[in-house]
Amino acid sequence: MLLSACSSLPNQAPEPGEQFRPPTLRTATVDDELMGKWSRSCALCHITGEAGAPVVGDTAEWQRRLQQGEETIINNVLEGFNAMPPLGYCMACEISDFRAMIAYMAGLNQ
Ligand code: HEC
């Protein structure tokens, strides 16, 4: 049956009234390796809110920032943004790492 192939797609449209979350952020995986990188770089500022950094788990603040779009926010990490250094001090991070870190800090993938 052709239909069964389609029904395995993991994707659902957002429920009406539910806030839109970019699927790539929502489905990002956070594993030990990623958390290791996170705690050696992003954590330095994003736990305490150093220099105005949005704090991990402050979902309202992260939602506000995510409204500018996923690509913009990723670019801001790559190039640096005000007091945040380029790459957020994580030279070994891939773009997929940044996505997962943002998802983690924004509480999107729990
Ligand atoms: C030296 C401190 C510092 C480190 C390290 C750091 N950040 Fe930041 N980050 C900031 C500050 C400060 C801001 C807020 C900048 C502003 O809004 O003026 C920020 C903002 C952000 C934003 C929001 C950007 C936007 O467009 O609103 C993201 C996403 C982000 N950081 C991700 C990361 C990630 C991922 C890491 C680790 C790889 C990281 N940061 C490491 C200080 C830091």
Side-chain angles (χ1 to χ4, degrees):
M1 291 276 288
L2 279 174
L3 278 177
S4 62
C6 292
S7 63
S8 65
L9 287 176
N11 167 55
Q12 302 115 18
E15 297 287 318
E18 191 187 326
Q19 209 154 15
F20 174 72
R21 294 163 173 174
T24 45
L25 285 180
R26 194 175 198 174
T27 54
T29 30
V30 174
D31 54 19
D32 289 351
E33 194 193 339
L34 187 93
M35 287 316 293
K37 289 177 181 168
W38 185 82
S39 46
R40 287 189 298 272
S41 52
C42 326
L44 299 176
C45 302
H46 284 274
I47 286 180
T48 58
E50 184 72 28
V55 174
V56 55
D58 183 350
T59 46
E61 173 64 17
W62 280 105
Q63 279 300 333
R64 194 181 66 72
R65 289 179 183 260
L66 283 168
Q67 278 168 16
Q68 62 189 319
E70 184 173 342
E71 296 317 312
T72 307
I73 210 169
I74 297 264
N75 250 340
N76 288 345
V77 177
L78 297 180
E79 290 170 12
F81 186 59
N82 298 328
M84 181 163 73
L87 302 176
Y89 283 160
C90 185
M91 309 307 155
C93 284
E94 310 279 342
I95 295 212
S96 58
D97 293 332
F98 292 131
R99 284 193 211 280
M101 288 162 165
I102 294 169
Y104 164 71
M105 291 194 282
L108 294 184
N109 53 356
Q110 295 166 10

